[in-house]
Amino acid sequence: EVQLVESGGGLVKPGGSLRLSCAASGFTFSSYSMNWVRQAPGKGLEWVSSISSSSSYIYYADSVKGRFTISRDNAKNSLYLQMNSLRAEDTAVYYCAREVVVVVAATRYNWFDPWGQGTLVTVSS
Amino acid sequence: EIVLTQSPGTLSLSPGERATLSCRASQSVSSSYLAWYQQKPGQAPRLLIYGASSRATGIPDRFSGSGSGTDFTLTISRLEPEDFAVYYCQQGGTFGQGTKVEIK
């Protein structure tokens, strides 16, 4: 079974740091790009960051650029998100999601599947 | 930057009725990158549709997607009780704000 399990969330004070982890199983982790997506309480989905299979390509949303760092360890089938200088507006459930890319007849398709169950990060004094 | 605007914000319908959800892009996007997700309270999003019109594995055929360019539609032909949820469209790193389908 393809599965993603996040951990590392919790309560942190503004300006603090937290490191999230996402453990992958049931698929060849090293073959897929991975993403972090967050959802503030009662709000919609916001893409946070992505990392290619070999870590060659890394992207961030403007809202976290310079504060968050995405990384992965293919030997451990794990994805990470190091979050520094946390703000109240970073409070959210953080999901990791596998990015699936399929090329059919020279057309590239991509989507996120599956998603982990999420881990809650609360930034509050 | 592409913006995806979903409408309506909330759709109040009864079981058995047809639901039509819209996702409009601020500029033309490739249909192959347009996906739809369903999210129920306390759960992670679940992939429904990819490539604008292809159902994901295990998704009932009452769910269908269509559209191209800037206008995309998710249709639920006959609402089942388990279909009442929030639905999001996505194109790459951009998500729409969601449409809540609630029981009337």
Side-chain angles (χ1 to χ4, degrees), chain B residues 13-85:
Chain B
L13 295 168
S14 300
E17 290 194 293
R18 181 185 188 90
T20 303
L21 288 67
S22 173
C23 176
R24 179 161 291 177
S26 57
Q27 61 190 80
S28 184
V29 302
S30 171
S31 299
S32 67
Y33 292 136
L34 199 286
W36 290 92
Y37 301 86
Q38 176 194 67
Q39 187 179 34
K40 297 179 181 179
Q43 296 185 17
R46 177 176 74 142
L47 176 70
L48 294 177
I49 300 287
Y50 64 90
S53 60
S54 297
R55 273 187 303 277
T57 302
I59 301 302
D61 60 7
R62 63 180 181 273
F63 290 92
S64 63
S66 63
S68 64
T70 59
D71 291 305
F72 299 88
T73 300
L74 175 69
T75 301
I76 311 171
S77 59
R78 284 177 26 176
L79 283 163
E80 297 287 340
E82 62 268 27
D83 298 337
F84 291 92

Side-chain angles (χ1 to χ4, degrees), chain A residues 37 39 43-47 95 107-113 115-117, chain B residues 32-33 35 37 39 43-45 47 50-51 88 90 92-93 95-97:
Chain A
V37 178
Q39 186 171 37
K43 302 297 184 183
L45 302 171
E46 179 190 16
W47 172 80
Y95 297 100
T107 298
R108 184 176 184 272
Y109 296 81
N110 80 325
W111 59 88
F112 291 179
D113 182 60
W115 299 55
Q117 86 289 349
Chain B
S32 67
Y33 292 136
Y37 301 86
Q39 187 179 34
Q43 296 185 17
L47 176 70
Y50 64 90
Y88 295 94
Q90 177 215 16
F95 291 91
Q97 82 278 20

